[in-house]
Amino acid sequence: MSNGLNVGSLPERVFAPDDMEWEESQYQFLTGLLNREGGDTLTTDTGGLTKYGISTRAHGKQGYDIENLTEAEARTIYEEQYIPQAVNRIGKNNVTWKFVDMVVNMGWGNATSVLQESLGIEEDGSFGPGTEKKLQDFIDAYGEDEVISMLSDAQLKYYEELRASNPDKYGKYTGWDHRAKYNPIKEK
């Protein structure tokens, strides 16, 4: 791990945007997320019928018509049901975008377990005060880019273990490796 310092420069700063910058950052993140999730292409995966990453299993009981879901509805779901929880625990920074991307792809509990593994703490899938403090300590010590890299490595390991556990069911999900490499800092 790097120490977050570049020779001859100031330490990396945590992205702490004002409200306008945050809204722009959120719009850019959601645009990329919707693309990573296949856009308006209707697919069937482990979550059932899925569009814009919104699945029948996760959102069908909430009354959403997945087949006719609009981009605006998908953005609203992410803005109301995914992003606030992550911001409340992580803050307004790039690690939040990486974590939300993971949550959309693997669910809150699995994403939290992957996060905990990357931090070297007990994996219980619960994003409590201990996980929150350890994550903030890592962001402060190593910087956002290094923490995102750690998350990516743990995410890739999770996908590899999942495919190995049931190759018939999960072996076809080769796009996961690309997904694990997502870094919001490098996509700006």
Side-chain angles (χ1 to χ4, degrees):
M1 281 182 216
S2 73
N3 63 4
L5 297 175
N6 295 317
V7 176
S9 68
L10 296 173
E12 175 185 349
R13 301 263 181 222
V14 173
F15 175 57
D18 63 27
D19 289 340
M20 185 180 212
E21 287 175 313
W22 182 250
E23 291 300 318
E24 280 182 39
S25 176
Q26 179 173 288
Y27 184 84
Q28 290 174 354
F29 167 73
L30 288 173
T31 299
L33 176 68
L34 296 174
N35 288 329
R36 285 188 296 282
E37 286 294 329
D40 65 357
T41 302
L42 204 56
T43 61
T44 301
D45 59 21
T46 56
L49 195 61
T50 304
K51 188 175 182 182
Y52 296 111
I54 306 296
S55 69
T56 302
R57 186 177 74 182
H59 299 283
K61 292 180 182 175
Q62 295 175 353
Y64 290 102
D65 177 5
I66 303 301
E67 190 169 350
N68 296 304
L69 191 73
T70 67
E71 180 178 329
E73 289 172 318
R75 284 179 181 272
T76 298
I77 291 167
Y78 291 129
E79 289 167 352
E80 293 177 356
Q81 298 181 32
Y82 289 76
I83 295 171
Q85 290 183 62
V87 169
N88 287 341
R89 288 174 174 84
I90 303 170
K92 291 181 176 179
N93 60 54
N94 290 299
V95 177
T96 296
W97 297 139
K98 174 63 176 176
F99 185 74
V100 171
D101 187 76
M102 291 169 54
V103 169
V104 169
N105 186 252
M106 63 178 67
W108 185 270
N110 290 330
T112 300
S113 290
V114 168
L115 168 65
Q116 291 166 331
E117 178 177 332
S118 75
L119 298 173
I121 60 177
E122 180 184 349
E123 299 169 44
D124 63 6
S126 176
F127 203 131
T131 300
E132 188 174 329
K133 181 176 180 345
K134 188 73 165 186
L135 176 58
Q136 290 306 321
D137 289 348
F138 268 59
I139 291 170
D140 292 344
Y142 302 111
E144 293 178 18
D145 195 40
E146 184 68 27
V147 171
I148 290 168
S149 179
M150 294 164 48
L151 278 169
S152 293
D153 291 346
Q155 185 178 6
L156 183 59
K157 180 181 173 197
Y158 170 82
Y159 292 144
E160 289 169 350
E161 290 172 354
L162 196 59
R163 283 193 293 257
S165 73
N166 191 338
D168 292 336
K169 183 175 182 179
Y170 299 114
K172 64 183 176 183
Y173 294 108
T174 56
W176 283 346
D177 296 351
H178 179 71
R179 186 66 173 261
K181 294 175 186 171
Y182 166 68
N183 182 332
I185 294 171
K186 292 183 167 84
E187 288 202 8
K188 289 184 176 182

